[in-house]
Amino acid sequence: MNVPFYDVKAQYDSQAAEIDAVVHEVISSGAYVLGKHNKGFEEEFAALHGTKHAIAVHSGTDALRIIMDAAGITRGDEVITTAFTFVASVETIVQTGATPVFVDVDPNTFMMDPACIEAAITPRTKAILPIHLFGQLCDVSAIKAIAEKHNLIVLEDAAQAIESSHNGVLAGNFGLAAGFSFYVTKNLGAAGDGGMIVTNSDEVAETCRSIRVHGMGRERYYYDHLGYTGRLDEIQAAVLRVKMKKLPEWTARRNEIAAIYRRELSGIEGVQLPLVSEGNNHTYHQFTVRATKRDALQEHLKQNGVPSMIYYPVPIHHHTPYKQFTPSWDLSATDLVSAEVLSLPIQPYLTDDHVAYTCEQIRAFR
Ligand SMILES: Cc1ncc(COP(=O)(O)O)c(C=O)c1O
């Protein structure tokens, strides 16, 4: 059996007529830039996450870069974050001229360990960027409390956290602003790139809207900020609106698969199942286990038709452009999880047979 890790074609097939119709509608309308689908998608996303504003942008990376600019992060500032992440979380900090300051992660949740934050705060610290990984939120209450005590801005990397919540409060409502990604393989994926900024601040929303279009102010060709071409394509907005209708069904299926994994894979020596923090609603962008013999397990699965992914094999501060940001303290949990994580297939078009077969192969590994 060959198990598909991602199957974005199956997602398209389930809505082909509707997607084809909206793509045709946009192309034949001639309204290609910031049209009615951008506006509609922003309204629908803000309603989904319960935020006052949603601003559609070209990618999750642009969302992060724009919220950092809007928050005034600049040269000389320090931003506390974690090195166990996708590079965009950190490259955007560096691009502002600020310095990323890495703190360690909790080895059970893979995310920022709030106990490490205060020791990393200096007079130059401006913000904390928690990264909500794999479909659940960081310890947002603890992080917020520290930020408030030290008068720091919180910006959320919510690229993987659509629909994720803590005690019923959805991602994007904990910081000054948050960035989401609609990269093809995300829980809600575009037919290409896409991203969203959310914020409850009118001022930040207005600044982000301006930066998205070259920093233009209310008057055409008058500029208030340094900006980008950061708009979301109208075709992508239209496709995302259609796909968003299926999101509850897809998330429910991810949760069903996670429940099967939990039932079938518990108690296997050397394999630790992902911890769900109390109060968190997990949306299972990934189902990431820790395995002591990770590389051998991955090879065994591959030989038997079960693909798996290592998100992320090398912490950011070990890569050439970021070595200069290696902190003076150790990041032992960051290094440990990078050596042990393995993400199992969990996309919504897996059949029960795919999931049962995957479990069988994991149990057969010695
Ligand atoms: C944690 C994290 N941050 C940021 C991004 C950047 O999003 P995008 O690929 O849409 O630019 C991603 C997406 O891959 C991500 O997983």
Side-chain angles (χ1 to χ4, degrees), residues 59-61 64 85-86 88-89 131 157 159-160 181 183 186 194 312:
S59 66
T61 306
L64 292 175
T85 185
F86 181 62
S89 319
I131 301 154
D157 182 339
Q160 304 182 9
S181 166
Y183 179 69
K186 292 290 191 284
Y312 300 91

Side-chain angles (χ1 to χ4, degrees), residues 51-73:
T51 56
K52 195 161 177 198
H53 303 280
I55 301 117
V57 290
H58 170 73
S59 66
T61 306
D62 275 2
L64 292 175
R65 184 62 210 273
I66 291 172
I67 60 176
M68 286 185 209
D69 286 345
I73 291 167

Side-chain angles (χ1 to χ4, degrees), residues 270-272 289-295 297 339-342 365:
V271 177
Q272 185 181 317
V289 301
R290 272 176 56 195
T292 43
K293 291 192 261 172
R294 190 265 314 274
D295 294 347
L297 173 60
E340 291 195 350
V341 282
L342 193 66
F365 174 68

Side-chain angles (χ1 to χ4, degrees), residues 57-64 84-92 129 131-134 157-161 179-186 192-196 285 311-312:
V57 290
H58 170 73
S59 66
T61 306
D62 275 2
L64 292 175
F84 182 69
T85 185
F86 181 62
V87 69
S89 319
V90 180
E91 76 189 357
T92 47
L129 179 81
I131 301 154
H132 305 313
L133 280 185
F134 304 149
D157 182 339
Q160 304 182 9
F180 292 82
S181 166
F182 308 120
Y183 179 69
V184 178
T185 53
K186 292 290 191 284
D193 282 305
M196 188 70 83
H285 174 53
Y311 299 121
Y312 300 91

